[in-house]
Amino acid sequence: MTRCERQEPLSSNPAQAGPPRGPAAERPRGPGPERPYGPGPERLARGRVAERRDGLGSGLGSLGRPNSIVRQFNFWDDRYEGRRLFAELLGTFFLVLVAAGGGMVNARFGGHAVPAAARVVAPALMVMAIILFMGTVSGAHLNPVVSAAFALRGDFPWKRVPAYVVAQFAGGVLATLLLWALIGRHGSAGLTLPGPGIPVPVAMVWELVLTTGLVSVILGTSSGAQQVGAFAAIAVGSYIALAGLWGAPVSGASMNPARSLGPALVLGDWHAWWAYLVGPAAGAALAVCIAQILRGPGGGMHGRQAAQGTIGLQWRPGDRDRRAAAPPAGQPPVTQPQAPPTAGPQAARPPAAGPTEEVAGPAHG
């Protein structure tokens, strides 16, 4: 008996295995006297290795395949962490560029170039755009308290929060430096400050209330019970715009420590800084408690995907897609199943021509 005759298919799925060939066809395939426990562990192990190698055990496969539990949540894969951190830095950069730049541009050109309503609506529109164009990469937190809220909710691992926070603050600092380099330091130079005559504790409580609503909207639209996909960007952006329209004169309606403390870090001006750290942090914690009351613990699979992004789960490079679609090396392409050949003289007899063959034949002789 040669080695080729003894070889069995690698796949652990009996539906994908072809009919046995050679003397191996005489051996029983199921449990019996010779194989009391079905397929041996070596064969199952080889099947798992083959499926991992060919990408058949990815998260898009069924749960019945080996290794599907490991590969199903690819947004846990640390190989994509650099992309996620870059997305958080870039997104927070654009957010602070608009939020801080509106006031600076308005002060630079006389105080009437950018109306007050536009200054509070522009950051909301930017957040909507960022969520839509790269929310699936990093979750588009753009806010340290949002990252902490997802972690408290159990939808985001705590070990990744510090790197997210650093990337968000770096984006705020870079946006402030670019604004200073392009138009100079004008007005409050990007700082978030309480309104005229507003004590710092009042501004802190104001930020707490506004942030509670913001994080509640974020957690609610990303949960398994009320997840609305990309349209969550509309809900989040709408809340930011509405909160800014009536809350900005009191505290600036920052709701984001990276937006407020990034410019303060560059300026070295720490006036009322604690109100824009304590208020949003307490508001995010309160929003997590509200989500616990409304929907119970955790946001489900949709909540984890919204918090961590789906890169690696619903997105793959093109060459990887082609490799996954191609049949494994050494195996013929998958065709329609055929009945096994019949043993005996009947197998050598050609099929008789019937009406179907006559109709299907060529029309010309």
Side-chain angles (χ1 to χ4, degrees):
M1 184 181 296
T2 63
R3 181 178 180 183
C4 295
E5 292 175 346
R6 293 197 307 270
Q7 186 174 2
E8 297 182 7
L10 295 179
S11 175
S12 61
N13 189 351
Q16 297 178 356
R21 301 175 183 177
E26 301 175 359
R27 294 186 309 202
R29 299 184 59 84
E34 299 182 8
R35 303 183 67 179
Y37 302 105
E42 296 84 5
R43 181 183 174 190
L44 292 177
R46 290 198 305 270
R48 293 188 181 98
V49 171
E51 290 194 354
R52 283 198 297 268
R53 181 182 65 246
D54 297 315
L56 298 178
S58 65
L60 299 179
S62 65
L63 289 177
R65 287 176 173 169
N67 203 35
S68 61
I69 299 300
V70 177
R71 300 285 293 177
Q72 188 178 7
F73 308 112
N74 283 352
F75 41 79
W76 287 348
D77 196 335
D78 292 338
R79 293 179 299 172
Y80 300 110
E81 193 66 11
R83 295 181 181 181
R84 298 188 184 100
L85 295 178
F86 175 75
E88 286 296 307
L89 186 151
L90 182 65
T92 312
F93 169 83
F94 281 120
L95 170 60
V96 177
L97 191 70
V98 172
M104 295 175 66
V105 170
N106 188 62
R108 167 67 175 81
F109 293 100
H112 301 286
V114 184
R119 293 198 297 270
V120 297
V121 172
L125 297 176
M126 179 59 73
V127 168
M128 291 174 58
I130 293 170
I131 293 174
L132 290 173
F133 98 86
M134 66 178 190
T136 56
V137 178
S138 66
H141 300 184
L142 315 179
N143 189 335
V145 300
V146 172
S147 302
F150 275 129
L152 284 172
R153 187 85 172 119
D155 298 332
F156 194 78
W158 277 106
K159 68 176 184 178
R160 292 171 56 188
V161 172
Y164 263 53
V165 172
V166 170
Q168 291 156 2
F169 272 96
V173 169
L174 291 176
T176 306
L177 292 175
L178 180 63
L179 288 170
W180 287 7
L182 295 178
I183 62 176
R185 294 171 56 175
H186 297 278
S188 62
L191 291 174
T192 307
L193 300 171
I198 302 298
V200 176
V202 173
M204 185 271 293
V205 176
W206 202 260
E207 288 291 312
L208 185 154
V209 174
L210 295 180
T211 308
T212 300
L214 173 63
V215 178
S216 295
V217 171
I218 293 173
L219 295 179
T221 55
S222 64
S223 71
Q226 295 167 278
Q227 201 266 350
V228 292
F231 289 101
I234 300 177
V236 176
S238 299
Y239 180 88
I240 294 174
L242 291 172
L245 287 173
W246 67 274
V250 178
S251 66
S254 171
M255 302 174 283
N256 188 337
R259 182 263 173 271
S260 298
L261 302 184
L265 183 64
V266 177
L267 256 180
D269 188 340
W270 298 101
H271 176 68
W273 67 272
W274 62 271
Y276 299 97
L277 177 62
V278 176
L286 182 58
V288 173
C289 296
I290 294 174
Q292 177 82 10
I293 296 172
L294 293 177
R295 288 174 289 274
M301 173 64 71
H302 292 293
R304 289 192 294 272
Q305 291 181 356
Q308 304 187 36
T310 56
I311 183 172
L313 178 67
Q314 297 178 355
W315 173 90
R316 285 180 174 81
D319 58 343
R320 191 171 178 181
D321 279 341
R322 290 192 296 270
R323 186 165 63 251
Q331 295 186 10
V334 179
T335 57
Q336 295 293 333
Q338 299 179 358
T342 305
Q346 299 275 344
R349 183 181 304 172
T356 304
E357 290 186 353
E358 295 177 359
V359 174
H364 55 279

